Amino acid sequence: SYELTQPLSVSVALGQTARITCGGNNIGSKNVHWYQQKPGQAPLVVIYRDSNRPSGIPERFSGSNSGNTATLTISRAQAGDESDYYCQVWDSTTWVFGGGTKLTVL
Amino acid sequence: EVQLVESGGGLVQPGGSLRLSCEASGFTFSSYAMNWVRQAPGKGLEWVSYITGSSSTISYANSVKGRFTISRDNAKNSLYLQMNSLRDEDTAVYYCARDEVEVAGQSYYYGMDVWGQGTTVTVSS
């Protein structure tokens, strides 16, 4: 079965750029989606199909996908960005989520 | 307002059964594929099951295959998850989530863009 690997945690200074990676075998050939989840809340899609932002998601959120790594980039990080982030792909007939990354804004 | 509301969670003994429901409103339910996604306490997201708008395609995670059954009633704008032979490791918050939309035979995907608030299932003796 297909596996997605994310770092357990990423830290970023307030106002700086955070990058969260999602590794998978030839993930560049798949569409990657990213979710933000705050404690006690349902997930929220922040990037779909590699690099598309839903309405209401700030331009500070961007995504890229190539080779074996997809990346979620959060520019000018704010305290409110502190959350868990999950990548997701469709593999064959199933959805696969990465293990999640806790973003800490210092 | 576009909304999903889950119900049916609760405490059940190992080996027992439970049926979750998810009621949709504010959108054309039959045009959308739907999912169940769960999250064990302190853990990450785990996809459980998927069903297309017409119920023509259904898939399950290996961890629940043969024990869980997804279904939908488009006339009632409702999604269901029948859970049998429950195990301790099925303890989780269960979310329903909207998937791709089919319009005039074409599918469009915007991520799982609408989620319910979740319903808690606890399997314990």
Side-chain angles (χ1 to χ4, degrees):
Chain A
S1 61
Y2 195 80
E3 292 186 358
L4 295 173
T5 301
Q6 297 183 236
L8 281 176
S9 63
V10 167
S11 298
V12 61
L14 187 68
Q16 298 303 302
T17 298
R19 293 178 180 84
I20 299 173
T21 59
C22 177
N25 184 33
N26 197 26
I27 196 173
S29 66
K30 300 179 182 297
N31 287 316
V32 180
H33 320 288
W34 290 92
Y35 298 85
Q36 176 192 67
Q37 187 183 31
K38 300 188 177 185
Q41 296 185 17
L44 172 72
V45 58
V46 294
I47 294 289
Y48 64 93
R49 283 190 272 118
D50 295 344
S51 59
N52 295 276
R53 272 179 296 104
S55 61
I57 300 301
E59 291 183 10
R60 301 184 297 102
F61 287 79
S62 62
S64 62
N65 183 20
S66 178
N68 293 317
T69 304
T71 304
L72 173 68
T73 301
I74 305 171
S75 304
R76 302 182 299 284
Q78 301 178 0
D81 299 332
E82 195 162 281
S83 301
D84 293 327
Y85 291 87
Y86 297 89
C87 57
Q88 177 204 36
V89 300
W90 179 258
D91 178 62
S92 183
T93 59
T94 66
W95 282 113
V96 180
F97 284 100
T101 298
K102 180 176 181 58
L103 177 68
T104 300
V105 180
L106 304 172
Chain B
E1 180 190 4
V2 174
Q3 198 173 6
L4 296 171
V5 178
E6 302 99 335
S7 61
L11 174 63
V12 61
Q13 292 187 338
S17 297
L18 214 53
R19 189 195 196 206
L20 306 183
S21 299
C22 169
E23 185 169 350
S25 59
F27 63 98
T28 306
F29 180 67
S30 60
S31 296
Y32 286 83
M34 297 293 296
N35 296 279
W36 287 100
V37 177
R38 69 184 180 183
Q39 188 168 34
K43 303 296 184 181
L45 301 175
E46 180 188 14
W47 171 78
V48 173
S49 186
Y50 164 92
I51 185 169
T52 53
S54 63
S55 303
S56 59
T57 300
I58 286 173
S59 58
Y60 298 97
N62 287 336
S63 58
V64 306
K65 199 173 295 184
R67 300 188 299 122
F68 290 11
T69 302
I70 192 172
S71 63
R72 63 191 296 160
D73 184 337
N74 288 339
K76 295 182 178 179
N77 289 336
S78 292
L79 175 73
Y80 306 102
L81 187 67
Q82 177 66 43
M83 304 186 295
N84 298 331
S85 303
L86 283 162
R87 306 167 179 167
D88 290 351
E89 55 265 35
D90 295 318
T91 294
V93 174
Y94 285 73
Y95 297 100
C96 58
R98 194 171 79 170
D99 202 283
E100 65 185 2
V101 58
E102 184 171 334
V103 178
Q106 292 271 29
S107 292
Y108 301 89
Y109 190 70
Y110 304 101
M112 291 185 186
D113 63 343
V114 180
W115 295 66
Q117 84 289 352
T119 188
T120 300
V121 173
T122 303
V123 184
S124 175
S125 54

